[in-house]
Amino acid sequence: MTADDRSLPLRERKRLRTRRAIADIALRLFTEKGFHATTVEELVGEAEVSRSTFFRAFATKEAAAVEAETELWTTYLGELADRRPSGPVLAGLCDTLARTAGVLPPDWDHRYMATRRLILTSPALLGHVEYQRTGVERQVVACLAEKLGLDPDDLRLRILAELATTAWSVAARDWVRDGGDGGRQALTDRLRDAFAAVPDALNLSPGAS
Amino acid sequence: MTADDRSLPLRERKRLRTRRAIADIALRLFTEKGFHATTVEELVGEAEVSRSTFFRAFATKEAAAVEAETELWTTYLGELADRRPSGPVLAGLCDTLARTAGVLPPDWDHRYMATRRLILTSPALLGHVEYQRTGVERQVVACLAEKLGLDPDDLRLRILAELATTAWSVAARDWVRDGGDGGRQALTDRLRDAFAAVPDALNLSPGAS
DNA sequence: CAGATTCTGACACTCAGTCTCAATAATGCA
DNA sequence: TGCATTATTGAGACTGAGTGTCAGAATCTG
């Protein structure tokens, strides 16, 4: 899947290299000047590709900004598909997310943190990742329904898929806020904490802290 | 809050009437021709207002399409703010949503169903409502944190806020699919079912249907 | 009715995203 | 290696959403 994979045809390698180059430059420019203030025109100038090439690599300006986020969820869905169901489903999703965090490439940390920080500054980006998230959840539900032999409309599956992404979201938010201190281990620790908080949340009542 | 409220100054009444007229025509045109295929130009022609007026009433084309959805969440936040915390928080959120469904104006049903159907046809609209949803959840967390004297970053609050909107979402999806049969009562029944499914979801394991 | 305030419409402008077409680069096969 | 096939690129024109300005009209206050 990487641009240096010699097994891939040259055409494909070039395409992936261009895509990666654009995403890197996009993240840098958006961080420096702001997402809204940076035009696609400037971006493609810096990347030395044409507008056409940009929009062939990414459907929207937003998509170029959140490439690291996309990698995360693509990997998550891949890991989930490979997995055999055993034990409580929610725990399984927690493990899958932890495994995902372990499998992502080393340079992903920095890109993801930059992306998340960027998202905090731009409604358009938040909108884009939230939209992306619903797509991921839909696929998780479909995958689980298939494996467990359940109706894809089962209320419980949707609740589980949503809880998993929420737990990630909360864990990642705090991890990013602390500058990624403690690396992937810290991230997975926070993730387990977030999943552990779910039963507590259901029992939460006023007065009982 | 309605355009016919005589206690409001004339200016305000006109503004609300215009807003409502635009939203109604938008929903009709988008349903007839498709969201993407309908331009703002056509819309304002039909509504007999200028482009400027349109964008003063609604920040984006999407916002005009999902006005009924916006009414729902605005009402929800209002009901939540009025409420005193008692008993389990999740049950409280369920009650608040049920109450919200009861408080919305009679013509809301049709507009909401048309809106939800429209959303299924357009990624841009789905993105918009999902973005809107995160804003609502953020406000719910802030409101609950205030009332319960908890940290707004408390993991459990975010989980609860998310579960509530998920439960609504699932309940409304099925209700809309069945054409709103059974009216508001059917909607609140489905809502209670969805909330009831939450503990089941947590215990879900392969094999146990 | 007069003056202050707010709303409206008209118009020009920027920029994202789409489409077409000709030139170029990679591939597969003789 | 040479050649036909196929995918990729860059250039440029086009649509449409969203913004800013400004003059004039409608509403509000006294």
Side-chain angles (χ1 to χ4, degrees):
Chain A
M1 191 63 188
T2 62
D4 303 319
D5 188 340
R6 295 311 225 78
S7 74
L8 259 43
L10 177 58
R11 243 181 216 165
E12 193 67 5
R13 268 181 284 164
K14 276 198 167 181
R15 225 174 49 86
L16 290 173
R17 244 196 298 268
T18 304
R19 185 186 171 86
R20 167 56 64 90
I22 291 173
D24 287 349
I25 289 170
L27 199 51
R28 181 167 62 77
L29 289 186
F30 292 158
T31 300
E32 285 172 12
K33 294 196 44 177
F35 176 74
H36 189 69
T38 308
T39 67
V40 173
E41 211 68 46
E42 299 176 64
L43 210 167
V44 299
E46 193 84 7
E48 296 182 307
V49 295
S50 69
R51 267 173 57 85
S52 317
T53 302
F54 176 86
F55 282 111
R56 257 176 230 118
F58 297 98
T60 64
K61 191 183 164 189
E62 285 79 12
V66 300
E67 177 71 349
E69 183 92 22
T70 305
E71 283 172 49
L72 164 65
W73 298 117
T74 303
T75 307
Y76 173 49
L77 289 172
E79 290 293 324
L80 188 66
D82 288 350
R83 218 182 139 82
R84 207 150 23 151
S86 80
V89 177
L90 189 60
L93 291 175
C94 180
D95 289 346
T96 306
L97 278 168
R99 182 163 183 75
T100 300
V103 160
L104 288 160
D107 66 329
W108 173 84
D109 299 55
H110 302 91
R111 291 185 290 122
Y112 184 67
M113 281 190 287
T115 302
R116 293 307 311 186
R117 278 193 269 261
L118 204 52
I119 289 169
L120 296 177
T121 70
S122 171
L125 291 179
L126 180 53
H128 190 270
V129 297
E130 288 301 324
Y131 172 63
Q132 188 174 228
R133 172 183 166 165
T134 66
V136 170
E137 286 168 358
R138 206 170 32 74
Q139 290 180 73
V140 168
V141 168
C143 181
L144 289 178
E146 164 87 37
K147 288 189 195 253
L148 299 173
L150 292 174
D151 183 350
D153 285 344
D154 193 308
L155 302 176
R156 297 169 301 176
L157 291 180
R158 179 126 173 227
I159 291 166
L160 288 169
E162 193 109 4
L163 280 172
T165 48
T166 300
W168 172 277
S169 171
V170 172
R173 182 194 58 184
D174 294 347
W175 183 65
V176 170
R177 178 184 293 165
D178 295 350
D181 283 0
R184 302 285 170 90
Q185 186 57 50
L187 177 57
T188 52
D189 288 349
R190 287 184 190 280
L191 189 62
R192 307 242 180 239
D193 289 347
F195 274 89
V198 173
D200 295 347
L202 297 199
N203 297 323
L204 186 65
S205 287
S209 77
Chain B
M1 189 64 186
T2 62
D4 303 318
D5 188 342
R6 296 309 227 80
S7 74
L8 259 43
L10 176 58
R11 235 180 225 165
E12 193 67 6
R13 269 181 284 164
K14 275 199 168 182
R15 225 174 50 86
L16 290 174
R17 244 197 298 268
T18 304
R19 186 187 171 86
R20 166 56 63 92
I22 292 173
D24 287 349
I25 288 170
L27 200 51
R28 180 167 62 76
L29 288 187
F30 293 157
T31 300
E32 285 172 11
K33 294 197 42 175
F35 176 73
H36 189 68
T38 308
T39 67
V40 172
E41 211 68 44
E42 298 176 65
L43 211 168
V44 299
E46 193 84 8
E48 298 181 307
V49 296
S50 69
R51 265 173 57 86
S52 317
T53 302
F54 176 86
F55 282 111
R56 255 177 234 118
F58 296 99
T60 64
K61 190 183 164 188
E62 285 80 12
V66 300
E67 177 72 350
E69 183 91 23
T70 304
E71 283 172 49
L72 164 64
W73 297 118
T74 303
T75 307
Y76 173 48
L77 289 172
E79 290 293 325
L80 188 66
D82 288 349
R83 219 183 138 81
R84 210 155 17 155
S86 80
V89 177
L90 190 60
L93 292 175
C94 180
D95 289 345
T96 306
L97 278 168
R99 182 163 184 77
T100 300
V103 160
L104 287 161
D107 65 329
W108 174 84
D109 299 55
H110 301 91
R111 292 185 291 123
Y112 184 67
M113 282 191 286
T115 302
R116 293 307 310 186
R117 278 193 268 263
L118 203 51
I119 289 169
L120 296 177
T121 70
S122 171
L125 291 179
L126 180 52
H128 190 271
V129 296
E130 288 301 324
Y131 172 64
Q132 187 174 227
R133 173 182 166 166
T134 66
V136 171
E137 285 167 358
R138 206 170 33 72
Q139 291 179 74
V140 169
V141 168
C143 181
L144 290 177
E146 165 87 37
K147 287 187 196 255
L148 300 172
L150 291 174
D151 184 351
D153 285 345
D154 193 307
L155 302 177
R156 297 168 302 176
L157 291 180
R158 179 128 171 224
I159 290 166
L160 287 170
E162 194 109 3
L163 280 172
T165 48
T166 300
W168 171 277
S169 170
V170 172
R173 181 193 59 185
D174 294 347
W175 182 65
V176 170
R177 178 184 293 163
D178 295 350
D181 283 1
R184 302 284 172 90
Q185 187 57 50
L187 177 56
T188 52
D189 288 349
R190 287 185 190 278
L191 189 63
R192 307 240 179 240
D193 290 348
F195 273 88
V198 173
D200 295 348
L202 296 200
N203 297 323
L204 187 64
S205 288
S209 77

